[in-house]
């Protein structure tokens, strides 16, 4: 279990919080490219901050604080110009670096605009997603992990909005044991009304060994099922967790974006590779809603990822880790929390 203070340290994402300051040192998807195709401006929320994402008439991407620094009107309802976005309330114009370019109702020779600046963040396009960096100084290179940039590839993005903190989503990725229960035993019970097969056995091979290795980009989780060996892909290759919030599995990424302390966006980024041939053209990566809730508000838990989402959300908006009881099979979760805390400390030390 964790103390209340440590739980807050790991889960809070807002400006000035220990966890939030760490997360601001990484690039995060803020929206899918397709979401800005039929509109000029898009309201987004990331790491507890309300923002406006836009592309102006010159093609510049901008990510600004949503509220105009003049009278706090939302720039989401503004208009894009050849350069920048203009506030609908009084016409103040801001460029993608947050500079105030015009204040139409101020005296012609006024230099007031030169003293006004709004919060702005670098934004880049990669793999059908807009990525934002909200940390200090010059942004680091945007990591071009394979599926985002590999040629001859078709991509699609499933988006799910979840009322849950991002950490408990990530902890699921460091928990190999849940697979045999949630995705096998539970599914077997759903379909058959019983928990053992005709031979009276557990419906799948059980896990006999798990392991975790920290590497330059995160943590690799490994497992061996009964009857398997260390030569099996699940052990020899494993599943990389790209720190802080991406799981690589098969030909897909799962990206868990912290919206604020109690909300996350889950991107299911799937790819189809065409070896040796040119993939069909794909000007815009298509997006779709990956649904998890039924119309009555209950969970559609018929598929693996939906079952995971049920487990994440039913822990509560922020899991109370002060009352949990971790065992030997939870060593991946313990390791992830340790690494997360260590990286927070690195940032705190400058």
């Amino acid at each position: 279990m964790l103390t209340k203070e440590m739980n807050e340290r790991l889960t809070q994402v807002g400006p000035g919080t220990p966890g939030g300051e760490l997360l601001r040192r990484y690039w995060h998807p803020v929206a899918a490219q397709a979401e800005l195709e039929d509109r000029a401006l898009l309201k987004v929320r990331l790491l507890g901050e309300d923002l406006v994402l836009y592309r102006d008439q010159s093609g510049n991407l901008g990510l600004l604080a949503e509220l105009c620094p003049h009278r706090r009107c939302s720039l989401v309802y503004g208009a894009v110009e050849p350069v920048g976005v203009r506030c609908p309330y009084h016409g103040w114009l801001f460029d993608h670096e947050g500079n105030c370019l015009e204040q139409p109702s101020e005296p012609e020779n006024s230099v007031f605009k030169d003293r006004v600046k709004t919060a702005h963040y670098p934004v880049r396009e990669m793999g059908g997603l807009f990525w934002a960096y909200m940390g200090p100084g010059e942004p680091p290179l945007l990591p071009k992990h394979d599926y985002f940039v590999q040629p001859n590839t078709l991509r699609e993005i499933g988006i799910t909005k979840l009322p849950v903190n991002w950490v408990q989503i990530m902890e699921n990725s460091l928990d190999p044991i849940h697979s045999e229960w949630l995705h096998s035993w539970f599914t077997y019970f759903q379909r058959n009304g019983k928990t053992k097969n005709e031979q009276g056995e557990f419906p799948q091979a059980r896990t006999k060994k798990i392991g975790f290795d920290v590497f330059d980009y995160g943590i690799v989780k490994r497992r061996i099922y009964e009857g398997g060996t260390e030569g099996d892909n699940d052990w020899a290759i494993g599943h990389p967790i790209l720190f802080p919030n991406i799981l690589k599995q098969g030909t897909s990424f799962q990206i868990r974006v912290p919206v604020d302390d109690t909300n996350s966006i889950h991107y299911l980024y799937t790819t189809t590779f065409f070896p040796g041939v040119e993939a069909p053209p794909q000007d815009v990566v298509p997006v779709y809603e990956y649904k998890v809730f039924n119309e009555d508000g209950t969970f559609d838990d018929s598929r693996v990822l939906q079952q995971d989402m049920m487990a994440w959300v039913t822990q509560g908006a922020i899991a109370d880790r002060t009352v949990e009881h971790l065992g030997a099979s939870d060593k991946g979760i313990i390791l992830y929390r340790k690494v997360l805390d260590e990286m927070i400390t690195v940032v705190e030390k400058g």
Side-chain angles (χ1 to χ4, degrees), residues 12-17 19-28 46-49 121 132-136 140:
Q12 292 178 349
V13 304
T17 64
E21 291 305 303
L22 170 66
L23 291 171
R24 280 165 173 76
R25 269 66 177 181
Y26 293 86
W27 290 92
H28 299 278
L46 180 63
L47 300 181
E49 297 187 38
Y121 300 108
Y133 177 75
M134 299 175 67

Side-chain angles (χ1 to χ4, degrees), residues 86-104:
R86 191 178 295 276
C87 179
Y89 202 10
H90 299 95
W92 286 23
L93 178 67
F94 298 91
D95 68 11
H96 65 281
E97 294 184 341
N99 300 305
C100 186
L101 304 181
E102 294 181 9
Q103 298 171 333

Side-chain angles (χ1 to χ4, degrees), residues 223-235:
R223 65 178 145 214
I224 302 175
Y225 291 107
E226 291 176 346
T229 71
E230 292 188 0
D232 297 338
N233 285 346
D234 278 332
W235 184 270

Side-chain angles (χ1 to χ4, degrees), residues 70-219:
H70 178 208
R71 294 280 307 283
R72 314 300 288 164
C73 178
S74 173
L75 293 175
V76 174
Y77 299 95
V80 291
E81 298 274 334
V83 175
V85 59
R86 191 178 295 276
C87 179
Y89 202 10
H90 299 95
W92 286 23
L93 178 67
F94 298 91
D95 68 11
H96 65 281
E97 294 184 341
N99 300 305
C100 186
L101 304 181
E102 294 181 9
Q103 298 171 333
S105 298
E106 293 300 307
E108 186 174 345
N109 60 350
S110 173
V111 295
F112 179 35
K113 65 179 177 59
D114 300 328
R115 304 199 304 271
V116 176
K117 197 175 180 75
T118 193
H120 68 288
Y121 300 108
V123 58
R124 307 281 189 270
E125 293 181 73
M126 181 178 69
L129 293 167
F130 294 114
W131 299 77
Y133 177 75
M134 299 175 67
E138 286 295 315
L141 292 176
L142 177 59
K144 295 183 176 180
H145 295 303
D146 47 9
Y147 298 148
F148 296 130
V149 297
Q150 71 180 6
N152 301 329
T153 299
L154 289 182
R155 302 168 171 85
E156 66 175 0
I157 303 170
I159 300 176
T160 310
K161 296 179 180 179
L162 295 169
V164 66
N165 183 264
W166 75 283
V167 173
Q168 62 215 56
I169 303 179
M170 288 307 302
E171 288 178 341
N172 182 83
S173 297
L174 281 298
D175 177 13
I177 299 299
H178 85 273
S179 178
E180 65 195 62
W181 291 97
L182 183 60
H183 305 320
S184 180
W185 176 88
F186 175 63
T187 301
Y188 191 86
F189 175 74
Q190 283 182 309
R191 296 174 180 174
N192 301 284
K194 53 186 178 181
T195 60
K196 295 183 177 181
N197 62 22
E198 298 301 328
Q199 291 74 41
E201 300 169 337
F202 196 82
Q204 80 155 57
R206 301 289 298 277
T207 302
K208 72 174 184 180
K209 182 179 180 180
I210 59 175
F212 303 88
D213 296 304
V214 177
F215 74 118
D216 287 346
Y217 296 95
I219 300 171

